[in-house]
Amino acid sequence: MSRIAYVNGRYIRHADAGVSIDDRAFLFADGIYEVIEVFGGELIDETGHLARLERSARELRLNLPAGEGALRLILRELVARNRVTDGHVYLQVTRGAARRDHVFPRAGTPATLVAFAHRGDRAAAEAKAQAGIKVISMPDIRWKRPDIKTTSLLPNVLAKQQAREAGAYEAWLIDSKGYVTEGASSNAWIVDEEGALVTHPADSAILSGITRARLLQIAAAKGLRVIERAFTLDEAFAAREAFISGATTLVMPVVALDGRKIGSGAPGSVALGLRAVFHDFAPASP
Ligand code: PDD
């Protein structure tokens, strides 16, 4: 079965899908995106992801080429055509194709809309969570609006590659004051000595994760204390537990940071507990 992608109104073989070399995302990374988890064939927290897509578009003065209802239909169609039970859908909107010029193209230039799906491996993800991941830290050299989910991800790509080469899965980014902002492709959390969850506030320094928001709700329902404040690397070293959150990783325990054990060096019970109940709380959209 060949994979099927969506490009500007058409469903085509993934291998044949393409956009213009004049596309502004290719030339300027002038685009926005979302990644949504598919679990049991359902799109998890789709409403939150589509709301954030709309916000990203507004912040960048980019016109979405399809309304929310149409986007939902496209994503469902991709899940069905690719027979995805567990995996992800990726959705990207760019400012369209136009002769290269930094300023916006003339009004009426159609935005580009691309979406595709990929299958995941639920068992492999669970095994990874049971083992835990390693993280390294590095300076946060991104622009000052990482709250916008743009395809402009070069610092994230470099950070993630450096992590990979150091035998780690994720990089935690450190701001100029020494605080952990977030991961290269996830939000960062610790469980402090009193058992409280600590994560950076959802201000302009981080992407306001949809998984993060869901976890705040789950923590409240479970009676866990949460403090939304920035934490330092030293606090992370001294933490009982650490974990990351995101649509591709859900809750993934961190067992080592810069080569130092976190807690006992094994995945923590708070992180694994949150992971275990995540889908009981995170709704599939209608
Ligand atoms: N990344 N922070 C960053 C920088 C991210 O790229 C992501 C998600 C998150 C978590 O957001 P959410 O919970 O809404 O997935 C936080 C996606 C999965 C990616 O780029 O693949």
Side-chain angles (χ1 to χ4, degrees):
M1 193 193 91
S2 53
R3 288 176 71 198
I4 302 296
Y6 173 93
V7 182
N8 293 329
R10 293 169 57 216
Y11 293 93
I12 35 188
R13 271 166 39 108
H14 191 105
D16 299 331
V19 296
S20 165
I21 61 167
D22 286 331
D23 195 277
R24 293 185 57 95
F26 180 63
L27 297 174
F28 298 114
D30 191 358
I32 57 176
Y33 76 105
E34 283 294 330
V35 181
I36 306 176
E37 189 205 4
V38 181
F39 183 79
E42 307 279 358
L43 290 149
I44 302 302
D45 271 329
E46 182 188 30
T47 300
H49 284 282
L50 293 180
R52 187 172 63 189
L53 183 77
E54 240 171 59
R55 176 186 183 271
S56 297
R58 218 170 32 246
E59 292 293 323
L60 298 181
R61 297 162 59 197
L62 204 155
N63 294 321
L64 291 182
E68 193 186 319
L71 292 176
R72 286 178 189 270
L73 285 176
I74 292 163
L75 297 180
R76 268 157 197 65
E77 191 65 27
L78 280 176
V79 169
R81 288 194 189 220
N82 290 284
R83 295 193 204 137
V84 181
T85 307
D86 297 323
H88 300 91
V89 288
Y90 177 92
L91 176 69
Q92 178 171 329
V93 180
T94 86
R95 211 181 301 276
R99 186 192 163 104
R100 187 177 184 279
D101 186 352
H102 287 66
V103 297
F104 291 179
R106 62 175 172 72
T109 301
T112 301
L113 173 56
V114 170
F116 52 82
H118 37 215
R119 293 183 184 171
D121 182 340
R122 202 190 280 194
E126 281 320 308
K128 188 172 181 171
Q130 294 306 321
I133 58 159
K134 295 177 182 165
V135 169
I136 61 169
S137 66
M138 63 187 67
D140 190 343
I141 59 165
R142 299 176 300 168
W143 74 323
K144 295 194 173 73
R145 294 302 308 277
D147 57 309
I148 306 172
K149 198 161 176 64
T150 81
T151 57
S152 179
L153 289 170
L154 204 42
N156 310 58
V157 166
L158 293 174
K160 202 91 178 178
Q161 181 61 24
Q162 206 172 312
R164 191 60 45 93
E165 288 169 10
Y169 175 76
E170 180 60 298
W172 275 8
L173 308 176
I174 313 298
D175 70 15
S176 59
K177 297 195 178 97
Y179 292 106
V180 176
T181 52
E182 61 180 331
S185 66
S186 59
N187 289 120
W189 302 70
I190 56 170
V191 180
D192 73 10
E193 281 150 25
E194 273 85 54
L197 298 167
V198 184
T199 192
H200 198 289
D203 54 22
S204 62
I206 68 161
L207 183 75
S208 182
I210 305 303
T211 317
R212 174 188 179 282
R214 184 61 65 198
L215 287 175
L216 292 178
Q217 187 214 350
I218 298 174
K222 288 174 73 78
L224 297 169
R225 200 164 146 242
V226 180
I227 311 167
E228 289 184 77
R229 65 162 179 85
F231 59 86
T232 63
L233 212 47
D234 279 339
E235 284 182 274
F237 289 135
R240 246 194 229 175
E241 292 184 31
F243 61 92
I244 62 169
S245 69
T248 47
T249 44
L250 303 180
V251 179
M252 193 55 76
V254 173
V255 294
L257 174 59
D258 288 340
R260 289 163 67 168
K261 267 200 275 187
I262 301 293
S264 65
S269 58
V270 173
L272 287 178
L274 289 168
R275 183 179 179 90
V277 300
F278 185 78
H279 289 110
D280 300 339
F281 286 85
S285 291

